[in-house]
Amino acid sequence: MSEKQMVRDAEKQAPPPQNQSLNGRLLFAIIASAFGSAFQHGYNTGVVNAPQTLIETWIGNVLSDRNDGKAADKSQVTLIWAVAVAIFCFGGMIGGLCTGVVADKFGRKGGLLVSNALVVVSAALQGVSKMYSSYELIIIGRFIIGINSGLNAGLTPMYLAEISPMNLRGSVGTVYQLVVTISILISQILGLDYILGTAERWPILLALIIIPGIFMFITLPFCPESPKYTLINKKKDIEAERGLQWLRGTIEVHDEMDEMRAENEAMKVIPRVTLREMLSNPMLKTPLGISVMIMLCQQLSGINAVMFFSTKIFNMAGMTDDGAKYATLGMGTLNVIMTLISLFLVELTGRKTLLMIGFSSMFVITVMLTISLMFVVGNTIVSYLAIVLVMAFVIAFAVGPGSIPWFLVAELFNSSARPLATSIAVGVNWTANFVVGLGFLPLQGLLGSNVFLIFVVLLALFVLYVYKKVPETKNKTLEEIQMLFRQESYK
C-alpha cells in the first residue's frame, strides 16, 4: 500500500500532462459561471455611488407625498438610503452562510442556477421602484441580490477550483475577482450623468443586473456539473468522467479520474464533516483558521476606506467634482488591469508570495498616505503625492489580496469539507465588509485622516500572519496540501 502511495505521489509531482491546458470548452465554462455571478457582486457594490444624490432626492419626494406635501426630514432620508446600501452586505452575509447547504443539495453549477433566479426578482423590484413610488422595493431588491451575491462568492470559486487543472487553478480562481473589478468599473461608467445617472434613468441602472442573469441562464446549462461533486456527492462515476472529458476536450482523463476516485475512497472512511468536527479537528481547524483570517485580511486591509476617501483626496488636490469622478474611473481601470496581470502572476510566483507582496506594499503605502494627509491642505505637491499613493494602494491590493482569498479556501479543503468551510469563510468576509461599511464613516468623522493609522496596525499584523501561517499551494495536489496540515497538527 505504501508503494502504491509513493507511485501516486510521484505521478502527482510529475509535470502536468499536455491536456491540462486552457481549451475552448473550459474557457466557456469559466466565462459562463464567472461572468453571470461575479458581475452581480461587483456591480451591486459600485452601482449606488453615482446616483446617490438623485435617489436621495427621490426618496425625499416620496416621503413628502406620503405626508401630504410636508417636507421630508433629511435625517430620515439619510437613514433610508444607508439601509438600502448596507442591506446588500447583510444579504451577502446570509447568502455566504448558506453556500454549504446549497452546494451540497444542488451542486456547484446547480446552486449557481438556483441562486440566479434571485437576480430576476431583484431586477424587477428595483426596476419598478420609481414607477410605484416605493423605496421599500429598492431595499428588498438589494437584500435579495445581496443573498445572490453571497452565494455566488462561495459557489463560483468552488466550481472554478473543481473544474480547473492543477496547473491553472490559481489563474482560473483569479477570474472571479477580475470580473468583480470589471463590473464595478462598468457600474461607475454607466452611472455617469450623461449615460444612466439621471433622475429618469436610474431605475434602469439598478435593473441592468438582469442582463448577466439572462446570460447565465443561457450559457451555464451547456456546461457540466463539477466532476468532483458528480463523483463524490452523487456517486456517478461515468457521468463525472464524461464531464471531465468535456472540460478537458479529450478522453485522456484517466490520471485525474484516478486522483478523484482515490479522494472518494479516502472520504468513505471519514465521517461527514460537521461544524463541531470543523472546529475541533486540527486537520480542519488549522486551514479553517487560515481561510477566515485571509478573508478578514482582505476586508480589513483598508481598501474600502481608501476607495471611499479617494474622492476627497482628489478634491483636496484641486480637482473639480467631475475631475474627481473621472479620476475614480481611472482608479477602477487600474484595478482591472492589475487584477488581470495577477491572473498570470499567481501561477508564476505563487499565492503566498503575492499575498506578502500585496500586504507589505499596502502597509508601506498606508504609512506614507497617513503622513501625507497631515500636510495635504494647501500643499499642491503633497496633494498629488496622495493621489499617487491612492493609485499605488489599489495596485498593491489587486496584485494578490484582492483575488487570492476567494479561491484559496477551495484549495485548502477536500470535497466533503469544502462547502462548509466556504460558507464560514465567505460569511466572515461579508460580515467584515458590513462592519467596515457601518463603522468607517463614524471613525473617519472622529479621527479624520488619522483613521488610516488603524489600517497601518492591521496591515502590519496581516503581513506577519501571512508570513508565519499561510502555506504555499501553488502546483500542490490536495494530498500534498493536507500533508502540510497533518505535519502541523503533530507539532
Side-chain angles (χ1 to χ4, degrees):
M1 184 66 184
S2 59
E3 290 182 7
K4 290 182 179 179
Q5 184 62 45
M6 289 172 64
V7 171
R8 187 180 293 122
D9 288 345
E11 290 175 346
K12 290 174 183 176
Q13 292 170 5
Q18 289 184 350
N19 63 8
Q20 291 195 344
S21 60
L22 189 64
N23 61 73
R25 289 180 175 180
L26 178 59
L27 181 62
F28 180 83
I30 293 168
I31 294 172
S33 57
F35 177 75
S37 59
F39 191 96
Q40 306 297 355
H41 186 163
Y43 187 86
N44 287 284
T45 298
V47 74
V48 291
N49 293 330
Q52 176 178 347
T53 304
L54 296 171
I55 300 177
E56 283 183 331
T57 301
W58 170 75
I59 292 172
N61 293 335
V62 170
L63 290 172
S64 179
D65 291 341
R66 292 180 182 180
N67 291 323
D68 299 323
K70 183 180 177 182
D73 185 359
K74 188 175 180 180
S75 62
Q76 186 180 4
V77 173
T78 303
L79 177 62
I80 291 170
W81 176 247
V83 170
V85 172
I87 201 75
F88 173 69
C89 288
F90 186 70
M93 289 162 50
I94 294 175
L97 292 171
C98 293
T99 300
V101 176
V102 173
D104 280 338
K105 184 173 179 60
F106 300 103
R108 285 54 161 154
K109 166 194 161 184
L112 284 171
L113 290 171
V114 169
S115 172
N116 200 41
L118 298 174
V119 177
V120 180
V121 178
S122 175
L125 290 174
Q126 295 186 81
V128 302
S129 58
K130 189 172 187 290
M131 183 191 305
Y132 288 100
S133 298
S134 173
Y135 56 79
E136 293 88 351
L137 293 180
I138 294 179
I139 294 173
I140 297 170
R142 280 186 59 77
F143 175 68
I144 291 172
I145 199 65
I147 295 174
N148 165 265
S149 298
L151 285 167
N152 290 344
L155 292 169
T156 305
M158 203 185 306
Y159 181 69
L160 293 175
E162 293 182 0
I163 67 171
S164 304
M166 182 179 68
N167 57 308
L168 293 177
R169 207 169 51 205
S171 295
V172 173
T174 304
V175 171
Y176 183 84
Q177 180 66 13
L178 176 63
V179 177
V180 169
T181 59
I182 291 172
S183 55
I184 290 174
L185 180 60
I186 289 173
S187 73
Q188 292 171 337
I189 294 172
L190 293 178
L192 293 171
D193 51 16
Y194 55 83
I195 303 181
L196 293 178
T198 67
E200 295 77 28
R201 296 175 189 160
W202 62 258
I204 300 174
L205 185 67
L206 299 183
L208 277 180
I209 54 175
I210 191 67
I211 294 176
I214 292 172
F215 175 82
M216 179 182 279
F217 275 135
I218 293 173
T219 57
L220 195 56
F222 289 101
C223 304
E225 178 57 86
S226 157
K228 277 196 174 185
Y229 174 82
T230 305
L231 175 67
I232 296 173
N233 293 68
K234 305 299 286 185
K235 311 301 180 186
K236 296 180 179 179
D237 190 289
I238 296 176
E239 189 176 325
E241 187 166 0
R242 285 174 182 165
L244 193 58
Q245 288 172 348
W246 189 94
L247 290 164
R248 300 293 177 262
T250 176
I251 61 172
E252 299 296 327
V253 295
H254 307 300
D255 290 342
E256 281 192 83
M257 284 301 300
D258 286 345
E259 187 178 320
M260 287 196 294
R261 290 184 184 116
E263 182 182 343
N264 186 33
E265 290 300 317
M267 286 170 54
K268 287 180 180 178
V269 298
I270 302 173
R272 181 178 175 82
V273 177
T274 62
L275 181 60
R276 182 177 179 178
E277 175 79 2
M278 183 73 75
L279 297 176
S280 60
N281 187 335
M283 283 285 295
L284 298 172
K285 184 171 63 173
T286 301
L288 179 66
I290 292 170
S291 301
V292 167
M293 274 302 300
I294 288 299
M295 289 296 191
L296 287 174
C297 291
Q298 184 197 64
Q299 286 299 327
L300 300 180
S301 65
I303 185 64
N304 293 326
V306 169
M307 288 289 195
F308 174 82
F309 216 72
S310 62
T311 303
K312 185 172 182 179
I313 293 171
F314 297 148
N315 288 140
M316 286 176 177
M319 288 185 176
T320 62
D321 288 341
D322 283 342
K325 194 179 294 183
Y326 287 114
T328 302
L329 286 180
M331 193 167 63
T333 304
L334 197 59
N335 197 8
V336 172
I337 293 170
M338 290 309 302
T339 304
L340 183 61
I341 292 173
S342 76
L343 187 146
F344 300 99
L345 289 177
V346 73
E347 293 298 356
L348 290 173
T349 61
R351 286 67 155 150
K352 182 171 184 174
T353 303
L354 284 186
L355 286 173
M356 285 296 297
I357 291 172
F359 284 126
S360 299
S361 301
M362 290 165 76
F363 168 75
V364 174
I365 293 165
T366 307
V367 171
M368 295 174 66
L369 183 61
T370 304
I371 296 171
S372 66
L373 289 176
M374 295 177 183
F375 306 99
V376 73
V377 179
N379 192 322
T380 305
I381 295 177
V382 177
S383 297
Y384 283 109
L385 174 62
I387 292 175
V388 172
L389 290 172
V390 167
M391 298 293 187
F393 190 93
V394 171
I395 291 173
F397 178 79
V399 162
S403 57
I404 291 173
W406 294 115
F407 67 85
L408 186 65
V409 183
E411 291 190 323
L412 297 180
F413 293 91
N414 63 29
S415 295
S416 63
R418 191 173 294 137
L420 179 57
T422 302
S423 285
I424 296 170
V426 173
V428 166
N429 185 287
W430 281 93
T431 303
N433 192 355
F434 183 65
V435 170
V436 171
L438 286 179
F440 177 71
L441 279 177
L443 283 172
Q444 191 257 322
L446 185 66
L447 301 174
S449 60
N450 291 328
V451 71
F452 288 106
L453 288 172
I454 297 173
F455 299 114
V456 168
V457 175
L458 288 173
L459 284 166
L461 294 174
F462 296 159
V463 170
L464 187 62
Y465 181 83
V466 171
Y467 178 74
K468 291 283 189 181
K469 294 293 185 180
V470 177
E472 180 55 73
T473 58
K474 174 192 169 187
N475 285 340
K476 284 187 170 64
T477 64
L478 179 63
E479 176 62 29
E480 289 169 336
I481 293 169
Q482 293 194 324
M483 180 66 72
L484 295 174
F485 297 125
R486 195 173 295 123
Q487 293 169 348
E488 185 71 23
S489 66
Y490 288 136
K491 287 181 180 179

